[in-house]
Amino acid sequence: ANEEASVESTLKRNKIDLKSFAVINPFAGARARNLSAESVLKISRMIWAKKPGLKIILMGNSGDQKILAEWKKQPGFSDHIVLPE
């Protein structure tokens, strides 16, 4: 129940409607298969071409949070939401 409350709070704080968002985990594979920042932006642009304004959430484990924080500083990532692990 505590985890559910945390998720609901995060969604509400970021104004994310449960019916209209996409989640990308660039780190879902082994290190050699991780997506690059450029790949994530390309995928995001493809999503936005079909669904303008859709919220895109980037997620990763605690070891990946530093990389996501760096990406958020780069052009093109301002419209992405980075969730904590």
Side-chain angles (χ1 to χ4, degrees), residues 1 8 10 15 25 28 31 36 40 42-43 51 55-56 75 77 83:
E8 285 183 33
T10 299
K15 299 181 177 121
N25 181 351
R31 283 275 172 228
S36 66
V40 171
K42 185 175 181 179
I43 292 167
K51 295 274 190 174
K55 301 271 186 178
I56 297 181
F77 280 98
L83 293 184

Side-chain angles (χ1 to χ4, degrees), residues 1-20:
N2 209 11
E3 289 176 354
E4 288 179 26
S6 176
V7 170
E8 285 183 33
S9 171
T10 299
L11 293 174
K12 185 181 275 189
R13 184 174 54 256
N14 288 286
K15 299 181 177 121
I16 300 169
D17 181 353
L18 285 175
K19 296 177 185 171
S20 59

Side-chain angles (χ1 to χ4, degrees), residues 23-79:
V23 176
I24 300 174
N25 181 351
F27 315 102
R31 283 275 172 228
R33 295 191 316 252
N34 287 349
L35 296 175
S36 66
E38 294 78 21
S39 294
V40 171
L41 285 177
K42 185 175 181 179
I43 292 167
S44 298
R45 288 184 192 114
M46 291 169 65
I47 292 170
W48 286 325
K50 301 246 182 221
K51 295 274 190 174
L54 188 77
K55 301 271 186 178
I56 297 181
I57 300 167
L58 302 178
M59 58 181 288
N61 66 32
S62 59
D64 302 321
Q65 290 296 314
K66 185 176 179 180
I67 295 168
L68 292 174
E70 288 299 316
W71 288 5
K72 275 293 283 181
K73 298 174 188 173
Q74 295 180 22
F77 280 98
S78 62
D79 291 332

